[in-house]
Amino acid sequence: MAFENLTQRLQGVFKNFRGKKKITENDVLEITKEIRVALLEADVALPVVKKFIRNIRARAIGVEVSEALQPAQQVIKIVDEELTAILGGGEVALGKSPKIPTIIMMAGLQGAGKTTFAGKLAKRLKDTENARPLMIAADVYRPAAIEQLKTVGKQVDVPVYDEGTDVNPVEIVRHGLALASEKRHDYVLIDTAGRLEIDEKLMDELIQIKAVAEPTEILLVVDAMTGQVAADVAKKFNETLDISGVIITKLDGDTRGGAALSIREITGKPIKFVGTGEKLTDLEVFYPDRMSSRILG
Ligand code: GDP
């Protein structure tokens, strides 16, 4: 499907604004109609779009056109500021426990990029803090998942604790944490199981792992390419697990990032990192203003 993006749409409207001195209520209606369609097409959830439009309306009506700025630029500035605000304003650092280890639990649907992110984060912690992380393989439903985490662990030179697929993942986590204390690892990254869709058994297991691990961070990993689904997933995981942050992967793909807007607004939880490729170096801190620029094009 070839949709016009938000920038193209706005440019279309703004063409009619050339030479205007003041933005009227009618102008704003026209602008917000285009923003609404563009955001919906960019996979932003409807309630989020509605709230966003209300803010824009309130701020844009009656804007005086200054000498320096064309009305189009002024509206773009307002849209940009509001998008940035909804996306969280500024970046949010990873939490750290006052005593080691800091325990970080990863959750998300299968294929979202959890295991890859675990490797990327382990590498980042090593590179930036000289940390000594331990990763725990708690996805016992897919033997390939354990092997994949071990492969990633080898690539970043971080040990992986696993007990194969025959042990209850809650026990694996318990044992892995005991080992981490014994060996004085400063970070523990727990890779949990994902399913193709949310199911109660998976959620129960994650609740149990959370109870045992008492993690400083519960990071939900979502695939940006899945759009509205990512927002629904974030809502459900947050309701069940009270997550502490979100990782959005596959932003190197052809997506406008509408999911980021919905997720932040629906969960109220900060997006902390974004995945920008398959390589273990393809991890970036999430900056709301950059994301806003991306959505605006
Ligand atoms: P998991 O099932 O949640 O553990 O997901 P994986 O970590 O196995 O990732 C699923 C697929 O997505 C793999 O092929 C990864 O290489 C790929 N992947 C993960 N993160 C990114 C990313 O940021 N960009 C791209 N392009 N691919 C990614």
Side-chain angles (χ1 to χ4, degrees):
M1 282 186 286
F3 290 130
E4 271 185 305
N5 69 22
L6 188 52
T7 309
Q8 286 165 335
R9 286 189 168 279
L10 289 177
Q11 275 165 353
V13 178
F14 292 149
K15 252 191 226 133
N16 309 327
F17 276 46
R18 293 233 168 89
K20 284 204 176 184
K21 294 263 187 299
K22 195 171 179 173
I23 295 171
T24 67
E25 197 161 345
N26 264 345
D27 294 334
V28 171
L29 277 179
E30 215 180 302
I31 297 164
T32 51
K33 208 166 69 194
E34 294 297 336
I35 296 173
R36 182 188 165 92
V37 174
L39 290 180
L40 288 173
E41 284 180 357
D43 269 339
V44 180
L46 183 59
V48 179
V49 174
K50 283 185 170 164
K51 183 172 173 193
F52 183 76
I53 298 291
R54 274 199 301 275
N55 291 345
I56 293 293
R57 241 177 225 152
R59 285 193 58 187
I61 291 174
V63 161
E64 299 275 350
V65 180
S66 70
E67 294 286 308
L69 279 180
Q70 288 293 312
Q73 289 171 291
Q74 291 207 353
V75 173
I76 283 183
K77 189 162 166 279
I78 292 170
V79 171
D80 187 28
E81 282 170 8
E82 288 295 332
L83 278 178
T84 303
I86 288 189
L87 288 165
E91 70 265 33
V92 179
L94 208 58
K96 204 164 174 175
S97 163
K99 62 179 184 29
I100 66 163
T102 293
I103 298 165
I104 300 172
M105 174 176 168
M106 253 73 66
L109 296 188
Q110 189 177 312
K114 271 187 316 298
T115 307
T116 307
F117 170 69
K120 288 176 176 180
L121 182 60
K123 177 171 171 38
R124 187 187 168 84
L125 292 168
K126 280 186 67 176
D127 292 349
T128 59
E129 299 184 22
N130 223 356
R132 291 181 52 244
L134 173 73
M135 299 198 281
I136 299 179
D139 181 355
V140 299
Y141 305 104
R142 292 186 311 136
I146 299 177
E147 284 315 309
Q148 192 195 344
L149 189 67
K150 284 182 172 172
T151 304
V152 165
K154 276 207 190 83
Q155 284 170 343
V156 296
D157 196 20
V158 166
V160 173
Y161 181 81
D162 87 285
E163 295 183 34
T165 55
D166 295 334
V167 180
N168 181 326
V170 181
E171 289 310 307
I172 296 175
V173 168
R174 210 190 294 276
H175 302 155
L177 290 173
L179 179 77
S181 291
E182 190 191 315
K183 304 256 180 186
R184 300 202 52 78
H185 285 282
D186 45 9
Y187 283 93
V188 176
L189 311 185
I190 305 171
D191 188 22
T192 64
R195 301 282 158 80
L196 291 175
E197 52 188 45
I198 295 167
D199 70 59
E200 293 310 318
K201 188 163 172 280
L202 169 70
M203 286 301 185
D204 282 347
E205 183 178 299
L206 293 174
I207 290 169
Q208 287 177 48
I209 291 176
K210 177 185 176 180
V212 165
E214 296 179 21
T216 297
E217 291 272 7
I218 302 177
L219 300 176
L220 176 68
V221 180
V222 295
D223 177 345
M225 304 292 285
T226 61
Q228 285 271 13
V229 171
D232 293 343
V233 165
K235 183 169 191 286
K236 181 78 177 125
F237 272 80
N238 189 46
E239 282 167 0
T240 312
L241 280 179
D242 188 20
I243 61 174
S244 61
V246 180
I247 312 304
I248 300 189
T249 64
K250 308 186 195 180
L251 269 179
D252 49 311
D254 180 22
T255 168
R256 304 204 190 106
L261 199 66
S262 309
I263 289 168
R264 173 68 215 216
E265 180 65 17
I266 289 169
T267 65
K269 299 297 168 63
I271 300 161
K272 299 206 166 178
F273 293 101
V274 296
T276 55
E278 294 191 73
K279 291 198 302 295
L280 294 173
T281 45
D282 294 332
L283 183 69
E284 293 175 12
V285 170
F286 176 79
Y287 294 109
D289 53 344
R290 287 191 204 163
M291 192 67 195
S292 169
S293 303
R294 177 191 176 115
I295 292 172
L296 286 170

